[in-house]
Amino acid sequence: MLYSTTTPAEKRRRLREALAGDRLVRLPGAFNPLSARLIERKGFEGVYVSGAVVAADLGLPDIGLTTLTEVATRAGQIARMTDLPTLVDADTGFGEPMNVARTVQTMEDAGLAGLHVEDQVNPKRCGHLDGKQVVGLDTAVKRVRAAVEGRRDPDFLVMARTDVRAVEGFDVAVDRAKALVDAGADAIFPEALTGLAEFEAVAEAVDVPVLANMTEFGKGELHTTEQLRSAGVRMVIWPVTLLRLAMGEAGRGLDELAATGTQVPLLDRMQHRADLYDLVDYEGYSAFDGGVFDFTVER
């Protein structure tokens, strides 16, 4: 088939089941639909769509320039490509509290399994940059309540992200996490924590799953999945890892091409045509089309 045959409702149910288990749910960030299928092939439990990656894909900085339509469209393209549940970064909800409910319903319609909405001012900044500002607790709570009240599928995961750690300190971040759970958040995303001890303290303070953001070149340390699981973390994202790998290699490849005038030295570093055809399921297309086309490729 062209896309996943698993319904969005089933993907949401599977995510809920995974979070109720004892395994760490791993969600690498997909930078396009094909990378989402690769994440599934490699045995991960879910897919993440980063707002920073969507912005970068459009050639924009991560400062709140993308729109709900742009993010929902790209996230929907990614989500439909995989049987895995897909979690999306909804920034500040693309407006104030009344906009957050619309954001949730738009993401439901796009086939997402859940989203997180944060407590930065609108427009926001990357969570690992200096100079962030957060809204007051009252506004943060209203955003979460609007998200919860706006959803139609009770299995759609509403996660609250708080950026207050870098602005007002860790103790305030713990108190805010508790308040956001009281407002109805199904999970908590404490951004820019500084170490495992802080993750453990947040996990002990709330009775919902906690997500860890293991982004490169950020404020915190890069912990292993086992370290995070031992600290009580239930979900981990690597939001920009695949994009950084792809763009880094693309840059090095272009340097080689410019220097030598040929891509021959790069062939061993490329995904083979046969692997690409397997990933996009040319065999399935052929069967779907009555076997008219033969996409057999020798390695």
Side-chain angles (χ1 to χ4, degrees):
M1 295 297 292
L2 304 182
Y3 303 123
S4 169
T5 57
T6 304
T7 66
E10 176 63 14
K11 294 176 189 179
R12 294 166 192 158
R13 186 189 65 78
R14 290 179 183 178
L15 178 58
R16 292 281 186 166
E17 284 186 354
L19 291 175
D22 57 4
R23 293 183 61 188
L24 181 70
V25 178
R26 304 167 301 162
L27 302 102
F31 61 89
N32 64 8
L34 192 59
S35 63
R37 182 165 285 177
L38 185 61
I39 289 168
E40 179 179 345
R41 291 280 182 93
K42 296 300 183 180
F44 290 89
E45 293 78 41
V47 172
Y48 180 70
V49 178
S50 160
V53 167
V54 174
D57 194 43
L58 295 171
L60 299 172
D62 183 24
I63 54 173
L65 294 173
T66 52
T67 67
L68 169 59
T69 300
E70 289 170 329
V71 175
T73 297
R74 193 56 165 166
Q77 292 169 341
I78 289 170
R80 72 187 182 187
M81 189 59 69
T82 172
D83 291 336
L84 297 178
T86 301
L87 178 70
V88 63
D89 176 0
D91 286 346
T92 61
F94 302 99
E96 290 313 306
M98 65 181 179
N99 299 91
V100 178
R102 181 173 184 239
T103 293
V104 168
Q105 294 186 4
T106 300
M107 296 302 184
E108 282 183 323
D109 291 343
L112 280 298
L115 58 71
H116 61 77
V117 62
E118 67 198 53
D119 59 359
Q120 282 198 51
V121 299
N122 185 32
K124 53 77 58 82
R125 291 171 62 83
C126 170
H128 289 259
L129 292 180
D130 294 327
K132 293 189 297 183
Q133 293 180 302
V134 295
V135 298
L137 179 58
D138 180 63
T139 299
V141 164
K142 286 179 179 178
R143 287 178 183 174
V144 172
R145 286 178 177 164
V148 173
E149 292 172 2
R151 69 179 166 194
R152 294 155 296 182
D153 184 344
D155 281 337
F156 185 86
L157 191 79
V158 172
M159 180 184 299
R161 168 176 149 176
T162 178
D163 285 62
V164 79
R165 167 66 181 90
V167 181
E168 300 180 34
F170 180 68
D171 291 341
V172 177
V174 172
D175 290 341
R176 181 162 290 204
K178 292 178 181 178
L180 296 175
V181 171
D182 290 342
D186 300 310
I188 289 292
F189 175 173
E191 180 64 298
L193 298 189
T194 61
L196 288 171
E198 291 193 354
F199 280 112
E200 188 170 5
V202 174
E204 290 177 352
V206 298
D207 59 358
V208 298
V210 171
L211 177 144
N213 179 10
M214 291 292 101
T215 191
E216 303 84 11
F217 319 118
K219 297 290 187 181
E221 301 175 46
L222 297 179
H223 305 295
T224 68
T225 53
E226 181 55 33
Q227 287 174 323
L228 292 169
R229 189 194 64 78
S230 297
V233 171
R234 298 293 298 113
M235 287 178 279
V236 57
I237 57 173
W238 300 274
V240 197
T241 303
L242 292 188
L243 177 66
R244 287 179 171 135
L245 285 169
M247 291 300 292
E249 187 65 2
R252 289 185 289 272
L254 289 170
D255 288 340
E256 183 79 22
L257 190 59
T260 66
T262 176
Q263 73 272 48
V264 171
L266 302 171
L267 294 180
D268 289 342
R269 289 152 56 185
M270 291 183 181
Q271 182 185 55
H272 195 282
R273 184 197 300 265
D275 295 322
L276 173 61
Y277 281 7
D278 177 63
L279 196 59
V280 299
D281 194 20
Y282 269 140
E283 183 178 348
Y285 281 126
S286 182
F288 184 72
D289 202 66
V292 174
F293 299 105
D294 180 7
F295 295 110
T296 303
V297 179
E298 295 295 331
R299 290 182 181 273

